[in-house]
Amino acid sequence: MRAGRYRGSSPVWATITVAIMAFFVVFLLFPMALVLYKSFVGADGSSLSLGHFAKFFHQKYYWITLVNSFRVIVCATLCSVALGIPIAYFMRTAKIAGKGLLEILIIVSFISPPFIGAYAWIQLLGRQGAITKVIDAVFGVRYNGIYGFAGIVLAFTLQSFPLIYIYVSGALKNMDSSLVEAAESLGCTGFRRAATIVTPLVMPSILASSLLVFMRDFADFGTPMLIGEGYKTMPVLIYNEFMSELGADDGFAAALSVIAIVITTLVFIVQKRIASMNAFSMSALRPIVAKRVGGLKGSLVHAFVYAVVLLAITPQAVVIYTSFLKSNGGQVFVPGFSLQSYASVFSGANGSAVWNTYRFGLEAIAIILVVGVLVSYLTVRKRSLLTDVLDTITIFPYIIPGSVLGICFLFAFSRQPLILNGTAIILVLSFAMRRMPYTIRSSTAVLSQISPSVEEAAVSLGASEMGSFLEVTLPMMAPGVLAGAIMSWITAISELSSSIILYGNNTQTLTIAVYTAVVRGNYGNAAAFSTLLTATSIISLLLLFKLTGRREVSV
Amino acid sequence: MSVSIKIDDVVKRYGANTVIKGLSLEIRPGEFFTLLGPSGCGKTTLLRMIIGFNSVEGGTIAIGDRVVNDIPPSKRNIGMVFQNYAIFPHMTVAKNVAFGLKTRRMARGNIADEVGKILRTVRIGDLAQRMPTTLSGGQQQRVALARAIVIKPEVLLMDEPLSNLDAKLRVEMRDAIKGIQKDIGITTVYVTHDQEEALAVSDRIAVMNGGVIQQIGAPAEIYRRPANVFVATFIGFSNIFEAEMSAAGPDGSRSIAFEGGYSVRVGNIAPESGARRVKVSVRPEEFEVLSSGEGIGAKVESRVFLGLSTHYFVRTSGGRRVEAVLYSDDERSFKDGSDVVLAVRPERINVFGFESERSLTAEAGR
């Protein structure tokens, strides 16, 4: 390919474009294409057929998982909206005591690994749960635990409402108080004002975030796997089919993956449409000021906000508490506190899980930083047909459910010429690919704020094109890039759905260790692993707040 | 039908910080009244107290006979046009304008009639079904105005409504606003920091600074007879000279001695003032610029040609920089570096106490 084809770009940038493109072709397009191909290859291994898809849609045992997925997700999304909107509204418009801490707790409950919520609720409301025992004692019943539908919805809701909160809160922040005042001067106040002015204005944010919740929960594997029991959802089926001890059916697993991708892609397209409908590009000259709400009304508002936030943070609290409990060395807790769970998770094979998490995470971030920054630079500053294609391709990792990406990788890299199966590299690459979008998006956002004339000035003063990028643009991008990288990091270390498929004996990570410990019933170790994970996330989050000077995350 | 607004000794406090301490003001029925002052002078604060978005920490605000201190904004029956218009972006023009009528539970047919009528009044009848984002700044301004007046409020408040428009549109819109206000005869309080705008639209102006009213009066009165040095320099441009004023002679007139020995006699100084040091304000257009004769000696440093007029920047022999204006077609014209003489017209100048900076002129507005 000749460099001259790239408009306004030097051979160096042309080479980089091609290299980045090659990276995505090998580690994203090729695995996806392979899965697509496999899904259409018949049982005989050569002819093309729709057999795998027919199998899925003909047998209730299979298609019911899709119905199940939709049922829990629709339910959880509605619950998340019902919690997220009022909390955002109250936090913006009313003076709430301890607001700063509440904001942090909401974000912490959002960034902690989803399945930890599921496992903590099992500890509370499962068959042997602490609350279950109380219920049984008080009512003299035998409560069977919150498994299945209710459990999944509970865990999903508490995990997802913060996303709605973050979006709606952001929209309310951009709303000028004069809009509210104008309504008031025209005689419209209270609930009526909230319904006719405020809600329609934040509706695009509500819809956009609802669909993000939908996508996120649809792709979540850990939660339904742990708390779902007989209630199987689509990602659980994909995992089971792929890992089946009866001999995995590659073609069928591939077909399931394709179905999942189609669904998330459709949701994503609708989400994009709705987000772009946000035509009221509002910017607040005078943002809405939180007012003191007194009396019964104030008490109710406080009670509601605190109840929801406490509920959302309960899993973390339970996990941290459990991690310090004394056990008999196995699965049974005995009275008293000890650090024995921590001693256990740092020793031997367990210890390597801790070490692996940080190592893989950092290596993935290194890849993400280099590739992410270059991708955003190319798509913003060196626009061409090829970089537009690149721009589109980099959306896929965001859309593809983790377990599906895991399967794509395993199919693609279990054979010549590239055998990565069971290595650390395949995990690092999958983390990098899955969590790249955070960094690309925040880099792109900050880059589009930087005037190209800054770079032109550097060039006019004699800097080379690459020099002006490295010495002028890159330092200016740094804060935005780092903010994105921290979000990439936080989400990478809590990754489960792809790593559960890709890990090998020597490449366990914390999330996998938690999962395995929970499955084995070793709640002490699971709690200690989880606490390490949560602590890392919180420290990273505080670092992010410090760096950006704001108590916000971009999602 | 028009009502007055009586503001009596009102106080605005933010925590320990008192922004307005005891301000009184009466706005006449049907009047176009402007609060004018630099940013941070308290004019918007006062406006928001009138509608009720700001609380009142002392004194009373009465609209007509009704003290409104404790009436919520939604019950005050005041229309307001916001600085950024605050058009509801998710509603059509017609829906925006109908909004206040709906909250007042007007019958649907009547709403349509009223909306149509008011949109024609503000001359955007053809835009009824458009979404606000497709409108120009001037059109949005008209929507905001229509929405505020369609509810037939007793009072109309406007908070810097033209500050987001470009210069040409600003002139066009201020004339439109003035015209519409005259037609419907509503008591209007208008806030601006732009003195030219204030002079153009107002029946009366209150010039504010530091939360205190400096002067209230008709535009011409404020311009010609500013109550203090602040008003003289904030409204239009004034050159300030230091001078010596003599005691009153037998006919009551006094001499004002400028630098370099030039003096004039003025007859309109309040009789109680004795001989003293004073400040004198002279507007650029009030000089006679001569090549020789009696006056303050000066040298032309630079000129700016603005079409209709030419501004001369001169330095007096005492070292003071002064601006003077001549019509461009005046037969006199002076080159850079030429020596000139500035004579003043005694009846036009304003004399202020040196320390107090308050006007000593007898008929100056208070």
Side-chain angles (χ1 to χ4, degrees), chain A residues 143-380:
Chain A
Y143 179 51
N144 226 350
I146 191 162
Y147 299 97
F149 180 82
I152 303 176
V153 170
L154 176 73
F156 274 174
T157 300
L158 293 178
Q159 168 76 25
S160 305
F161 87 85
L163 206 147
I164 310 267
Y165 163 82
I166 289 167
Y167 264 67
V168 174
S169 178
L172 286 174
K173 193 176 153 200
N174 285 331
M175 197 157 96
D176 197 278
S177 59
S178 68
L179 286 170
V180 180
E181 286 171 355
E184 190 170 353
S185 77
L186 296 167
C188 179
T189 56
F191 182 77
R192 189 185 166 126
R193 182 174 64 186
T196 56
I197 302 295
V198 181
T199 310
L201 288 177
V202 298
M203 191 47 95
S205 302
I206 295 172
L207 288 175
S209 55
S210 306
L211 288 167
L212 282 184
V213 167
F214 191 101
M215 262 172 51
R216 207 176 121 103
D217 291 349
F218 179 78
D220 191 29
F221 157 78
T223 306
M225 189 70 187
L226 289 178
I227 207 171
E229 297 216 326
Y231 198 87
K232 261 199 244 172
T233 64
M234 188 82 177
V236 175
L237 176 70
I238 293 176
Y239 176 77
N240 284 346
E241 286 306 308
F242 189 71
M243 290 298 179
S244 168
E245 288 169 14
L246 302 169
D249 184 346
D250 282 6
F252 189 54
L256 294 177
S257 300
V258 171
I259 293 169
I261 293 179
V262 168
I263 290 168
T264 49
T265 306
L266 286 178
V267 174
F268 180 77
I269 291 170
V270 175
Q271 199 268 347
K272 273 276 153 209
R273 274 277 164 80
I274 289 171
S276 70
M277 252 171 42
N278 198 347
F280 329 124
S281 60
M282 297 187 289
S283 64
L285 288 171
R286 282 189 313 116
I288 297 170
V289 182
K291 287 209 184 88
R292 179 168 299 287
V293 182
L296 180 65
K297 216 165 150 191
S299 311
L300 287 176
V301 165
H302 274 82
F304 174 75
V305 173
Y306 271 88
V308 174
V309 174
L310 283 181
L311 212 54
I313 207 71
T314 298
Q316 309 308 321
V318 168
V319 162
I320 293 170
Y321 172 78
T322 311
S323 72
F324 291 108
L325 289 181
K326 207 172 189 166
S327 71
N328 65 356
Q331 303 176 1
V332 181
F333 290 114
V334 296
F337 293 95
S338 87
L339 291 173
Q340 71 190 84
S341 295
Y342 286 96
S344 160
V345 302
F346 277 112
S347 62
N350 285 342
S352 71
V354 181
W355 162 241
N356 281 344
T357 302
Y358 294 113
R359 203 189 106 199
F360 298 167
L362 288 174
E363 285 171 358
I365 291 302
I367 298 176
I368 287 174
L369 276 175
V370 173
V371 178
V373 168
L374 290 176
V375 165
S376 73
Y377 189 80
L378 289 171
T379 51
V380 174

Side-chain angles (χ1 to χ4, degrees), chain B residues 225-305:
Chain B
R225 290 295 174 218
N228 55 37
V229 173
F230 173 80
V231 176
T233 49
F234 186 74
I235 308 288
F237 178 84
S238 290
N239 299 291
I240 304 292
F241 291 93
E242 292 167 15
E244 297 292 337
M245 182 176 79
S246 69
D251 61 347
S253 75
R254 300 144 186 274
S255 94
I256 308 277
F258 290 89
E259 59 181 65
Y262 173 62
S263 73
V264 293
R265 287 202 79 78
V266 292
N268 55 3
I269 302 297
E272 61 269 21
S273 318
R276 59 200 284 191
R277 207 164 152 64
V278 292
K279 283 179 179 163
V280 176
S281 74
V282 186
R283 296 201 182 271
E285 71 273 19
E286 292 171 355
F287 286 112
E288 292 212 59
V289 185
L290 309 163
S291 50
S292 63
E294 256 193 80
I296 304 165
K299 193 185 271 295
V300 176
E301 286 194 328
S302 62
R303 292 167 297 166
V304 176
F305 174 74

Side-chain angles (χ1 to χ4, degrees), chain B residues 7-14 17-25 35-47 49 58 206-216 228 230:
Chain B
I7 296 169
D8 189 20
D9 202 25
V10 298
V11 176
K12 178 69 214 168
R13 242 182 254 117
Y14 289 110
N17 181 19
T18 306
V19 194
I20 293 175
K21 33 194 150 200
L23 183 150
S24 299
L25 184 63
L35 299 172
L36 172 66
S39 63
C41 73
K43 55 193 191 298
T44 296
T45 306
L46 184 61
L47 192 80
M49 288 165 87
V207 182
M208 289 181 73
N209 191 31
V212 176
I213 293 185
Q214 306 292 316
Q215 184 174 10
I216 299 177
N228 55 37
F230 173 80

